[in-house]
Amino acid sequence: MRPGMWGPPMMMRMIFSLMDADGDGKLSLLEFQAAHERIFKAMDANKDGFVTLEEMQDFIRGTGRPASKQ
């Protein structure tokens, strides 16, 4: 394996392939929106329909700590 092989270009390909639901090598607006909706729902720890800065930070850190419902 080459040094840096798992850097940003490889990550970009992996993310793209996860978003490309029909595997045609292109992202439609619907595929793009659906992927971002899944990310939003994963970040919304307390499922209130909003993402706070704390929820986003927890998601990025991978702590998975649910935020308290306001």
Side-chain angles (χ1 to χ4, degrees):
M1 193 178 328
R2 294 184 331 241
M5 187 172 163
W6 288 101
M10 180 61 90
M11 292 300 293
M12 185 74 67
R13 282 188 207 100
M14 289 173 59
I15 292 167
F16 185 91
S17 67
L18 289 171
M19 293 172 71
D20 184 15
D22 61 10
D24 68 355
K26 301 179 285 188
L27 292 180
S28 69
L29 179 57
L30 291 177
E31 288 171 320
F32 188 84
Q33 289 171 329
H36 284 85
E37 182 176 352
R38 289 190 302 269
I39 294 166
F40 181 92
K41 287 180 177 181
M43 282 189 206
D44 184 12
N46 64 3
K47 306 303 178 207
D48 66 353
F50 298 92
V51 173
T52 64
L53 177 59
E54 182 182 51
E55 287 173 317
M56 187 179 286
Q57 289 170 333
D58 289 344
F59 178 82
I60 290 168
R61 287 186 198 116
T63 60
R65 182 181 57 143
S68 60
K69 194 153 188 154
Q70 311 260 333

